[in-house]
Amino acid sequence: MDFQQSLTKHNLARSFAAECQEGARYQFMAKAAQQEGYQYMSALVRTLAHNEMAHAQLIFQKISEYGGDNVQNIDIKAGYPFRSAPLVDLLKFEAENERMSGESIYPSFADTARDEGYKDVADMFDKISMVEKSHRATLSKLHEMLKKNTLYKCKTGTHAFKCDNCGTVVEGKSAPKTCPLCNMEQGYFRIDFDIN
Ligand SMILES: [Fe+2]
Ligand SMILES: [Fe+2]
């Protein structure tokens, strides 16, 4: 199918806008986490922001590849998530957005691209959907741990907590309030998703 007439062109443009906005929202969230003293969580969320911008670039490249000079403006009609809330609620909100992207939106965009003969675009959407699913898992876990106040706690026995600033490892039931070597606050300790 001709790219200009395709739904895939529209879906690529929608996805590009969505990825840019996710990248921006994750940067805002990373800043909020840092301001609340969750330094390691902030770094994790910054990585998510970086991932989204990488997705945006891949999608942009597909539009350029197929549209060339013929595409200079694409009108899109789509809804995008907006929410201003405390960090704990934002984590849940974004996890749900990622769930929809990974389980529903990208798979349907991939199907359309495949139907329209853009196999490479379909493959890209499929691969991005896998990443969004893993983002959802990360955000859900962070939400759960923050809500239950278990970010730095080990429920069973002890755990080797590692300071992400200086690398010191402290064995215990919970991460120390400050690092015994570099004195950085608890928020610098790595959040281990398996310490439940
Ligand atoms: Fe993405
Ligand atoms: Fe994502």
Side-chain angles (χ1 to χ4, degrees):
M1 171 178 282
D2 175 43
F3 186 67
Q4 294 295 352
Q5 312 304 322
S6 70
L7 209 54
T8 293
K9 181 180 91 166
H10 188 259
N11 289 343
L12 282 166
R14 267 184 67 179
S15 308
F16 176 68
E19 295 288 350
C20 289
Q21 291 184 31
E22 268 171 38
R25 293 199 310 275
Y26 288 159
Q27 287 181 57
F28 303 157
M29 198 200 279
K31 202 171 171 184
Q34 188 164 18
Q35 283 168 347
E36 291 186 31
Y38 300 112
Q39 314 295 344
Y40 185 71
M41 188 195 298
S42 176
L44 286 176
V45 175
R46 244 176 247 290
T47 300
L48 300 189
H50 181 85
N51 294 161
E52 308 303 6
M53 295 320 292
H55 298 168
Q57 188 173 19
L58 290 164
I59 293 162
F60 188 88
Q61 284 164 352
K62 288 295 175 199
I63 297 172
S64 309
E65 185 185 327
Y66 286 108
D69 289 343
N70 297 323
V71 173
Q72 289 179 6
N73 187 63
I74 304 175
D75 279 329
I76 51 171
K77 186 173 186 308
Y80 294 97
F82 281 87
R83 180 144 188 224
S84 174
L87 181 60
V88 68
D89 299 328
L90 275 187
L91 287 165
K92 190 178 180 192
F93 177 71
E94 294 295 356
E96 178 57 18
N97 290 329
E98 292 284 14
R99 190 191 64 72
M100 284 192 292
S101 300
E103 293 178 12
S104 162
I105 300 169
Y106 278 126
S108 89
F109 286 0
D111 287 344
T112 301
R114 216 168 276 117
D115 288 347
E116 293 183 337
Y118 296 97
K119 189 184 172 302
D120 58 326
V121 175
D123 288 348
M124 178 189 71
F125 280 144
D126 280 336
K127 285 178 182 140
I128 293 176
S129 82
M130 299 303 289
V131 180
E132 310 303 17
K133 282 180 191 169
S134 82
H135 285 178
R136 179 197 162 254
T138 300
L139 291 162
S140 293
K141 196 67 191 168
L142 286 174
H143 167 256
E144 187 192 317
M145 293 174 92
L146 183 59
K147 196 176 172 186
K148 292 182 182 165
N149 196 23
T150 58
L151 288 170
Y152 310 108
K153 286 179 188 157
C154 178
K155 283 184 193 160
T156 54
T158 62
H159 177 76
F161 290 95
K162 188 173 191 173
C163 172
D164 202 50
N165 183 53
C166 70
T168 289
V169 174
V170 182
E171 184 82 25
K173 281 188 143 192
S174 61
K177 292 289 172 212
T178 56
C179 175
L181 177 59
C182 71
N183 284 324
M184 288 299 195
E185 60 205 63
Q186 192 177 51
Y188 279 89
F189 276 84
R190 287 190 183 185
I191 296 163
D192 188 320
F193 293 99
D194 296 313
I195 53 180
N196 293 318

